[in-house]
Amino acid sequence: ALVSRIMHTFVDPTGCHTLISARNGEVYYLHSTSRNVKKLKGFGPNVDGSASFTPGKAAGDIISGKGKSGAGDKAQVGLTPGTYLTAVGWDKDQGTEGSTKRILLGNSSGELYEYALARTNADASSEASDAAADFNDGPILLHKLNSSESVGMTESGASVTGVHFEYLTNPVSSAPNMPLPSSHANNDIIVLAATSGTNHRTRLHTNQSASSGARAINKNDKCFFRGVFAKGEKG
């Protein structure tokens, strides 16, 4: 069917992890050691037709206080219905054969999500396994690139056509409860994303974690990239 046709295929830098994106929002995962693809939860409709999606706010808005967010606010889990995966930002520094570690996803309506995958029975570290477990119900919405007041009609609804992040060497502040990968404990993060599409202007969005290094609310926060989007964006 047209609604379930394959739109994009993404392969990580190790060549071990492949994501297959369908027009109806479904995403399938294939590891290089497996012959079978796996439908991922939180992407597209469930088998019974219901939405694999839990409404909520963008995680970056919750920590930044945008939209009158309160302590009880929860982040959206699952890809927004009616959209599909259009871009993946892999962790080229820490990704392994067993785990992608934390990655960024972009969709067809200009939204960014955090996600992680680990191969079943992978010889991965507990940190990698824990990261993947945080996303058992699907990706977590981080930021809406096209929600800024500066965005015009030519940019509203544009797809994420590319996303990339880098660790930047920077001293960590006294914030004690940051869930940081050990190999990048002293680094801030910069995220670059592009949005474009038919009848939409191409735009480059830049987000960087605060100099304080505060990326998450506390050590139990699932979103490693949350604080990167708490400051707003440049672009």
Side-chain angles (χ1 to χ4, degrees):
L2 182 62
V3 294
S4 60
R5 70 178 180 180
I6 293 175
M7 301 298 290
H8 300 280
T9 300
F10 307 96
V11 182
D12 83 310
T14 71
C16 295
H17 307 277
T18 299
L19 292 174
I20 302 169
S21 168
R23 179 63 181 81
N24 64 355
E26 293 178 348
V27 173
Y28 296 86
Y29 173 62
L30 176 66
H31 192 271
S32 58
T33 61
S34 175
R35 295 183 179 181
N36 301 313
V37 295
K38 173 185 177 183
K39 182 185 181 302
L40 297 176
K41 186 176 181 180
F43 297 90
N46 292 317
V47 176
D48 61 4
S50 61
S52 180
F53 162 81
T54 302
K57 296 179 178 292
D61 290 351
I62 294 173
I63 192 173
S64 65
K66 296 178 182 178
K68 299 181 180 180
S69 302
D73 287 328
K74 294 183 178 180
Q76 173 183 314
V77 178
L79 208 66
T80 299
T83 69
Y84 58 93
L85 183 64
T86 56
V88 178
W90 303 101
D91 190 332
K92 63 182 179 62
D93 294 328
Q94 298 190 109
T96 65
E97 179 182 349
S99 171
T100 63
K101 305 298 174 60
R102 303 283 178 141
I103 60 176
L104 292 173
L105 308 178
N107 74 353
S108 56
S109 67
E111 297 173 337
L112 291 179
Y113 296 77
E114 183 170 338
Y115 198 54
L117 286 163
R119 186 187 67 192
T120 304
N121 299 322
D123 296 328
S125 66
S126 59
E127 180 182 289
S129 299
D130 290 344
D134 285 340
F135 302 94
N136 283 338
D137 293 327
I140 296 177
L141 176 63
L142 285 171
H143 186 60
K144 297 182 179 181
L145 292 171
N146 300 321
S147 64
S148 170
E149 294 180 357
S150 64
V151 171
M153 291 300 294
T154 57
E155 295 158 346
S156 178
S159 298
V160 179
T161 51
V163 59
H164 176 81
F165 66 91
E166 291 280 350
Y167 297 100
L168 305 177
T169 302
N170 209 356
V172 172
S173 72
S174 58
N177 294 321
M178 297 180 296
L180 305 180
S182 57
S183 60
H184 287 290
N186 295 325
N187 293 1
D188 282 342
I189 300 174
I190 186 169
V191 175
L192 304 176
T195 53
S196 186
T198 305
N199 299 321
H200 293 293
R201 272 197 318 186
T202 297
R203 186 183 183 202
L204 178 64
H205 309 254
T206 306
N207 292 81
Q208 184 175 337
S209 54
S211 58
S212 65
R215 300 186 183 91
I217 290 177
N218 56 56
K219 64 183 179 181
N220 296 317
D221 192 346
K222 293 182 179 181
C223 294
F224 174 66
F225 292 97
R226 180 196 293 264
V228 178
F229 300 97
K231 294 173 55 182
E233 68 184 60
K234 300 177 183 178

PDB file of all heavy atoms in Angstrom, residues 151-176:
ATOM      1  N   VAL A 151       9.831  31.619  12.820  1.00  0.00           N
ATOM      2  CA  VAL A 151       9.592  30.762  11.665  1.00  0.00           C
ATOM      3  C   VAL A 151       8.389  31.261  10.876  1.00  0.00           C
ATOM      4  O   VAL A 151       7.320  31.497  11.432  1.00  0.00           O
ATOM      5  CB  VAL A 151       9.346  29.302  12.112  1.00  0.00           C
ATOM      6  CG1 VAL A 151       8.895  28.457  10.944  1.00  0.00           C
ATOM      7  CG2 VAL A 151      10.616  28.731  12.720  1.00  0.00           C
ATOM      8  N   GLY A 152       8.569  31.414   9.582  1.00  0.00           N
ATOM      9  CA  GLY A 152       7.489  31.891   8.737  1.00  0.00           C
ATOM     10  C   GLY A 152       6.717  30.750   8.108  1.00  0.00           C
ATOM     11  O   GLY A 152       6.993  29.577   8.330  1.00  0.00           O
ATOM     12  N   MET A 153       5.737  31.086   7.302  1.00  0.00           N
ATOM     13  CA  MET A 153       4.887  30.084   6.664  1.00  0.00           C
ATOM     14  C   MET A 153       5.689  29.186   5.733  1.00  0.00           C
ATOM     15  O   MET A 153       5.327  28.039   5.512  1.00  0.00           O
ATOM     16  CB  MET A 153       3.767  30.781   5.884  1.00  0.00           C
ATOM     17  CG  MET A 153       2.744  31.478   6.771  1.00  0.00           C
ATOM     18  SD  MET A 153       1.907  30.319   7.886  1.00  0.00           S
ATOM     19  CE  MET A 153       1.008  29.336   6.693  1.00  0.00           C
ATOM     20  N   THR A 154       6.784  29.701   5.174  1.00  0.00           N
ATOM     21  CA  THR A 154       7.570  28.888   4.248  1.00  0.00           C
ATOM     22  C   THR A 154       8.388  27.827   4.967  1.00  0.00           C
ATOM     23  O   THR A 154       8.951  26.944   4.337  1.00  0.00           O
ATOM     24  CB  THR A 154       8.528  29.773   3.421  1.00  0.00           C
ATOM     25  OG1 THR A 154       9.367  30.509   4.313  1.00  0.00           O
ATOM     26  CG2 THR A 154       7.737  30.723   2.542  1.00  0.00           C
ATOM     27  N   GLU A 155       8.479  27.924   6.312  1.00  0.00           N
ATOM     28  CA  GLU A 155       9.257  26.960   7.069  1.00  0.00           C
ATOM     29  C   GLU A 155       8.390  26.067   7.940  1.00  0.00           C
ATOM     30  O   GLU A 155       8.795  24.981   8.332  1.00  0.00           O
ATOM     31  CB  GLU A 155      10.280  27.703   7.942  1.00  0.00           C
ATOM     32  CG  GLU A 155      11.320  28.446   7.121  1.00  0.00           C
ATOM     33  CD  GLU A 155      11.970  29.563   7.920  1.00  0.00           C
ATOM     34  OE1 GLU A 155      11.434  29.917   8.978  1.00  0.00           O
ATOM     35  OE2 GLU A 155      12.986  30.087   7.470  1.00  0.00           O
ATOM     36  N   SER A 156       7.196  26.520   8.284  1.00  0.00           N
ATOM     37  CA  SER A 156       6.321  25.751   9.150  1.00  0.00           C
ATOM     38  C   SER A 156       5.987  24.407   8.520  1.00  0.00           C
ATOM     39  O   SER A 156       5.542  24.327   7.373  1.00  0.00           O
ATOM     40  CB  SER A 156       5.016  26.529   9.396  1.00  0.00           C
ATOM     41  OG  SER A 156       4.139  25.790  10.202  1.00  0.00           O
ATOM     42  N   GLY A 157       6.240  23.328   9.255  1.00  0.00           N
ATOM     43  CA  GLY A 157       5.929  21.990   8.762  1.00  0.00           C
ATOM     44  C   GLY A 157       6.995  21.377   7.889  1.00  0.00           C
ATOM     45  O   GLY A 157       6.808  20.273   7.371  1.00  0.00           O
ATOM     46  N   ALA A 158       8.126  22.063   7.722  1.00  0.00           N
ATOM     47  CA  ALA A 158       9.199  21.506   6.893  1.00  0.00           C
ATOM     48  C   ALA A 158       9.798  20.281   7.554  1.00  0.00           C
ATOM     49  O   ALA A 158       9.894  20.189   8.779  1.00  0.00           O
ATOM     50  CB  ALA A 158      10.279  22.565   6.660  1.00  0.00           C
ATOM     51  N   SER A 159      10.220  19.320   6.748  1.00  0.00           N
ATOM     52  CA  SER A 159      10.797  18.080   7.253  1.00  0.00           C
ATOM     53  C   SER A 159      12.234  18.294   7.724  1.00  0.00           C
ATOM     54  O   SER A 159      12.940  19.170   7.225  1.00  0.00           O
ATOM     55  CB  SER A 159      10.808  17.008   6.160  1.00  0.00           C
ATOM     56  OG  SER A 159       9.510  16.694   5.727  1.00  0.00           O
ATOM     57  N   VAL A 160      12.656  17.465   8.680  1.00  0.00           N
ATOM     58  CA  VAL A 160      14.058  17.435   9.066  1.00  0.00           C
ATOM     59  C   VAL A 160      14.781  16.621   7.992  1.00  0.00           C
ATOM     60  O   VAL A 160      14.516  15.436   7.814  1.00  0.00           O
ATOM     61  CB  VAL A 160      14.262  16.781  10.447  1.00  0.00           C
ATOM     62  CG1 VAL A 160      15.749  16.750  10.800  1.00  0.00           C
ATOM     63  CG2 VAL A 160      13.480  17.523  11.518  1.00  0.00           C
ATOM     64  N   THR A 161      15.670  17.252   7.262  1.00  0.00           N
ATOM     65  CA  THR A 161      16.365  16.576   6.166  1.00  0.00           C
ATOM     66  C   THR A 161      17.769  16.130   6.551  1.00  0.00           C
ATOM     67  O   THR A 161      18.423  15.409   5.803  1.00  0.00           O
ATOM     68  CB  THR A 161      16.440  17.489   4.938  1.00  0.00           C
ATOM     69  OG1 THR A 161      16.975  18.764   5.328  1.00  0.00           O
ATOM     70  CG2 THR A 161      15.046  17.700   4.345  1.00  0.00           C
ATOM     71  N   GLY A 162      18.221  16.553   7.727  1.00  0.00           N
ATOM     72  CA  GLY A 162      19.522  16.113   8.211  1.00  0.00           C
ATOM     73  C   GLY A 162      19.700  16.518   9.656  1.00  0.00           C
ATOM     74  O   GLY A 162      19.211  17.576  10.072  1.00  0.00           O
ATOM     75  N   VAL A 163      20.382  15.676  10.439  1.00  0.00           N
ATOM     76  CA  VAL A 163      20.678  16.013  11.831  1.00  0.00           C
ATOM     77  C   VAL A 163      22.025  15.408  12.205  1.00  0.00           C
ATOM     78  O   VAL A 163      22.354  14.283  11.810  1.00  0.00           O
ATOM     79  CB  VAL A 163      19.558  15.534  12.785  1.00  0.00           C
ATOM     80  CG1 VAL A 163      19.349  14.029  12.707  1.00  0.00           C
ATOM     81  CG2 VAL A 163      19.853  15.951  14.221  1.00  0.00           C
ATOM     82  N   HIS A 164      22.822  16.171  12.944  1.00  0.00           N
ATOM     83  CA  HIS A 164      24.182  15.749  13.297  1.00  0.00           C
ATOM     84  C   HIS A 164      24.533  16.373  14.636  1.00  0.00           C
ATOM     85  O   HIS A 164      24.135  17.505  14.935  1.00  0.00           O
ATOM     86  CB  HIS A 164      25.172  16.219  12.230  1.00  0.00           C
ATOM     87  CG  HIS A 164      26.600  15.927  12.536  1.00  0.00           C
ATOM     88  ND1 HIS A 164      27.175  14.684  12.317  1.00  0.00           N
ATOM     89  CD2 HIS A 164      27.593  16.710  13.048  1.00  0.00           C
ATOM     90  CE1 HIS A 164      28.445  14.718  12.679  1.00  0.00           C
ATOM     91  NE2 HIS A 164      28.728  15.929  13.123  1.00  0.00           N
ATOM     92  N   PHE A 165      25.276  15.642  15.477  1.00  0.00           N
ATOM     93  CA  PHE A 165      25.731  16.241  16.730  1.00  0.00           C
ATOM     94  C   PHE A 165      27.192  15.898  16.973  1.00  0.00           C
ATOM     95  O   PHE A 165      27.707  14.892  16.513  1.00  0.00           O
ATOM     96  CB  PHE A 165      24.854  15.812  17.916  1.00  0.00           C
ATOM     97  CG  PHE A 165      24.919  14.346  18.278  1.00  0.00           C
ATOM     98  CD1 PHE A 165      25.842  13.880  19.214  1.00  0.00           C
ATOM     99  CD2 PHE A 165      24.040  13.434  17.709  1.00  0.00           C
ATOM    100  CE1 PHE A 165      25.894  12.534  19.559  1.00  0.00           C
ATOM    101  CE2 PHE A 165      24.072  12.091  18.055  1.00  0.00           C
ATOM    102  CZ  PHE A 165      25.009  11.634  18.987  1.00  0.00           C
ATOM    103  N   GLU A 166      27.853  16.791  17.726  1.00  0.00           N
ATOM    104  CA  GLU A 166      29.259  16.634  18.065  1.00  0.00           C
ATOM    105  C   GLU A 166      29.451  16.947  19.548  1.00  0.00           C
ATOM    106  O   GLU A 166      28.764  17.801  20.111  1.00  0.00           O
ATOM    107  CB  GLU A 166      30.131  17.597  17.247  1.00  0.00           C
ATOM    108  CG  GLU A 166      30.216  17.281  15.767  1.00  0.00           C
ATOM    109  CD  GLU A 166      31.204  16.166  15.448  1.00  0.00           C
ATOM    110  OE1 GLU A 166      31.959  15.765  16.360  1.00  0.00           O
ATOM    111  OE2 GLU A 166      31.223  15.717  14.287  1.00  0.00           O
ATOM    112  N   TYR A 167      30.420  16.251  20.165  1.00  0.00           N
ATOM    113  CA  TYR A 167      30.809  16.555  21.536  1.00  0.00           C
ATOM    114  C   TYR A 167      31.907  17.617  21.495  1.00  0.00           C
ATOM    115  O   TYR A 167      32.879  17.485  20.757  1.00  0.00           O
ATOM    116  CB  TYR A 167      31.328  15.301  22.240  1.00  0.00           C
ATOM    117  CG  TYR A 167      30.294  14.211  22.382  1.00  0.00           C
ATOM    118  CD1 TYR A 167      30.271  13.127  21.506  1.00  0.00           C
ATOM    119  CD2 TYR A 167      29.339  14.263  23.395  1.00  0.00           C
ATOM    120  CE1 TYR A 167      29.327  12.122  21.630  1.00  0.00           C
ATOM    121  CE2 TYR A 167      28.395  13.257  23.532  1.00  0.00           C
ATOM    122  CZ  TYR A 167      28.387  12.192  22.650  1.00  0.00           C
ATOM    123  OH  TYR A 167      27.448  11.196  22.781  1.00  0.00           O
ATOM    124  N   LEU A 168      31.731  18.670  22.288  1.00  0.00           N
ATOM    125  CA  LEU A 168      32.692  19.768  22.325  1.00  0.00           C
ATOM    126  C   LEU A 168      33.419  19.758  23.661  1.00  0.00           C
ATOM    127  O   LEU A 168      32.792  19.686  24.719  1.00  0.00           O
ATOM    128  CB  LEU A 168      31.983  21.114  22.151  1.00  0.00           C
ATOM    129  CG  LEU A 168      31.107  21.257  20.899  1.00  0.00           C
ATOM    130  CD1 LEU A 168      30.416  22.612  20.910  1.00  0.00           C
ATOM    131  CD2 LEU A 168      31.952  21.100  19.641  1.00  0.00           C
ATOM    132  N   THR A 169      34.719  19.836  23.629  1.00  0.00           N
ATOM    133  CA  THR A 169      35.502  19.853  24.869  1.00  0.00           C
ATOM    134  C   THR A 169      35.203  21.120  25.639  1.00  0.00           C
ATOM    135  O   THR A 169      35.350  22.221  25.140  1.00  0.00           O
ATOM    136  CB  THR A 169      37.002  19.790  24.563  1.00  0.00           C
ATOM    137  OG1 THR A 169      37.277  18.609  23.819  1.00  0.00           O
ATOM    138  CG2 THR A 169      37.811  19.767  25.850  1.00  0.00           C
ATOM    139  N   ASN A 170      34.740  20.938  26.878  1.00  0.00           N
ATOM    140  CA  ASN A 170      34.369  22.069  27.706  1.00  0.00           C
ATOM    141  C   ASN A 170      34.328  21.623  29.157  1.00  0.00           C
ATOM    142  O   ASN A 170      33.780  20.557  29.447  1.00  0.00           O
ATOM    143  CB  ASN A 170      32.995  22.597  27.296  1.00  0.00           C
ATOM    144  CG  ASN A 170      32.839  24.080  27.573  1.00  0.00           C
ATOM    145  OD1 ASN A 170      33.709  24.713  28.133  1.00  0.00           O
ATOM    146  ND2 ASN A 170      31.696  24.622  27.184  1.00  0.00           N
ATOM    147  N   PRO A 171      34.887  22.375  30.085  1.00  0.00           N
ATOM    148  CA  PRO A 171      34.853  21.968  31.488  1.00  0.00           C
ATOM    149  C   PRO A 171      33.430  21.851  31.994  1.00  0.00           C
ATOM    150  O   PRO A 171      32.579  22.676  31.677  1.00  0.00           O
ATOM    151  CB  PRO A 171      35.596  23.111  32.202  1.00  0.00           C
ATOM    152  CG  PRO A 171      36.424  23.738  31.147  1.00  0.00           C
ATOM    153  CD  PRO A 171      35.623  23.620  29.879  1.00  0.00           C
ATOM    154  N   VAL A 172      33.179  20.839  32.792  1.00  0.00           N
ATOM    155  CA  VAL A 172      31.863  20.636  33.383  1.00  0.00           C
ATOM    156  C   VAL A 172      31.726  21.502  34.620  1.00  0.00           C
ATOM    157  O   VAL A 172      32.664  21.673  35.377  1.00  0.00           O
ATOM    158  CB  VAL A 172      31.670  19.150  33.755  1.00  0.00           C
ATOM    159  CG1 VAL A 172      30.387  18.954  34.544  1.00  0.00           C
ATOM    160  CG2 VAL A 172      31.644  18.302  32.503  1.00  0.00           C
ATOM    161  N   SER A 173      30.544  22.048  34.824  1.00  0.00           N
ATOM    162  CA  SER A 173      30.306  22.862  36.002  1.00  0.00           C
ATOM    163  C   SER A 173      30.100  21.973  37.216  1.00  0.00           C
ATOM    164  O   SER A 173      30.306  20.771  37.186  1.00  0.00           O
ATOM    165  CB  SER A 173      29.054  23.709  35.781  1.00  0.00           C
ATOM    166  OG  SER A 173      27.916  22.884  35.845  1.00  0.00           O
ATOM    167  N   SER A 174      29.635  22.583  38.277  1.00  0.00           N
ATOM    168  CA  SER A 174      29.431  21.842  39.517  1.00  0.00           C
ATOM    169  C   SER A 174      28.145  21.045  39.537  1.00  0.00           C
ATOM    170  O   SER A 174      27.837  20.419  40.535  1.00  0.00           O
ATOM    171  CB  SER A 174      29.441  22.815  40.707  1.00  0.00           C
ATOM    172  OG  SER A 174      28.430  23.798  40.533  1.00  0.00           O
ATOM    173  N   ALA A 175      27.356  21.100  38.468  1.00  0.00           N
ATOM    174  CA  ALA A 175      26.107  20.329  38.434  1.00  0.00           C
ATOM    175  C   ALA A 175      26.421  18.859  38.638  1.00  0.00           C
ATOM    176  O   ALA A 175      27.124  18.255  37.832  1.00  0.00           O
ATOM    177  CB  ALA A 175      25.413  20.535  37.092  1.00  0.00           C
ATOM    178  N   PRO A 176      25.923  18.230  39.724  1.00  0.00           N
ATOM    179  CA  PRO A 176      26.380  16.906  40.130  1.00  0.00           C
ATOM    180  C   PRO A 176      25.637  15.725  39.537  1.00  0.00           C
ATOM    181  O   PRO A 176      26.113  14.603  39.611  1.00  0.00           O
ATOM    182  CB  PRO A 176      26.175  16.940  41.649  1.00  0.00           C
ATOM    183  CG  PRO A 176      24.948  17.793  41.799  1.00  0.00           C
ATOM    184  CD  PRO A 176      25.041  18.847  40.721  1.00  0.00           C
TER     185      PRO A 176
END
